[in-house]
Amino acid sequence: MEPIQVQAIRKILEDELRPAMGCTEPIAVAYTAALARELLGVFPQQLTVRCSGNIIKNVKGATVPNSGGEKGIDTAAILGAVSGRSDLELEVLSVIGPSELEQALELRRQGMCQYFLAEGVPNLYIEITASAGPDTAVVAIQDSHTNLVKKEKTARSSTKKNPTLSRIPAPWHSSIWTSTAFWSTLRQSPSPI
């Protein structure tokens, strides 16, 4: 049986090393938009994105996968909503073809998506509000590209909100390890990781 530290490192690597298309920040925006569309239950008429400054900076400079060379938060969010495949996580845009891209670019031209700086949030923070008529869905990720921390829906017949989610770091989470402890454990491990 492996020591608990080696098991912890395996878990960290499983959590941190995920397949992703292109730069993870635009993909995380797309993933969050797909989650918001899914929660809303219909294709949104409007997307409002609130992001940390770090996300805004990184998304502005990176090409969004399957976008025909386009950049930007609005492009990533709209493509994620068009995809609607949150089950694909950071590969959410792998299903985007020419017709979906054309639809997304037209929606961007129509001003479907607005984005704003969210102040006082962690460096990795993306919150998307998707709306269709009087219904809204709000989804947020924070601290890692797939860490869902908020999921709320307000429907026309109700103002009941689902509780906000918050992931608490588990003992194997990378945020509680120092790099020295991590590498020391790796060097002492009798089996390859």
Side-chain angles (χ1 to χ4, degrees):
M1 185 160 142
E2 291 181 325
I4 190 75
Q5 294 90 346
V6 174
Q7 293 174 24
I9 289 173
R10 284 186 192 279
K11 181 65 176 149
I12 289 169
L13 293 173
E14 288 172 7
D15 286 349
E16 298 294 328
L17 300 176
R18 296 174 177 263
M21 291 186 70
C23 178
T24 50
E25 277 73 13
I27 288 294
V29 170
Y31 170 62
T32 307
L35 286 167
R37 173 189 171 175
E38 181 180 290
L39 181 61
L40 185 62
V42 296
F43 191 80
Q45 297 167 331
Q46 183 70 37
L47 295 173
T48 304
V49 183
R50 293 181 56 246
C51 298
S52 60
N54 193 54
I55 294 293
I56 291 172
K57 172 187 67 79
N58 290 339
V59 176
K60 279 186 169 186
T63 300
V64 179
N66 283 348
S67 70
E70 298 290 325
K71 296 179 181 180
I73 291 171
D74 53 353
T75 301
I78 294 169
L79 280 170
V82 168
S83 162
R85 293 289 308 275
S86 67
D87 61 304
L88 297 174
E89 291 188 334
L90 300 179
E91 295 178 293
V92 64
L93 299 183
S94 64
V95 296
I96 298 295
S99 63
E100 291 87 3
L101 176 58
E102 185 178 326
Q103 176 190 6
L105 295 177
E106 179 57 31
L107 290 167
R108 186 182 70 181
R109 280 190 287 278
Q110 293 172 9
M112 176 195 190
C113 182
Q114 297 180 314
Y115 64 92
F116 304 94
L117 173 65
E119 296 189 39
V121 297
N123 282 336
L124 197 165
Y125 183 83
I126 303 164
E127 179 181 295
I128 297 184
T129 302
S131 58
D135 298 341
T136 62
V138 182
V139 175
I141 62 169
Q142 173 180 307
D143 298 324
S144 72
H145 298 96
T146 58
N147 183 25
L148 181 63
V149 295
K150 181 188 274 186
K151 185 177 178 181
E152 299 176 354
K153 181 177 180 181
T154 304
R156 67 179 74 105
S157 60
S158 158
T159 56
K160 182 180 178 187
K161 294 183 177 181
N162 294 330
T164 298
L165 307 172
S166 182
R167 185 184 292 177
I168 298 169
W172 59 81
H173 195 271
S174 59
S175 67
I176 64 171
W177 281 71
T178 65
S179 59
T180 303
F182 186 88
W183 291 114
S184 174
T185 301
L186 274 178
R187 282 190 209 100
Q188 294 171 16
S189 173
S191 62
I193 291 189

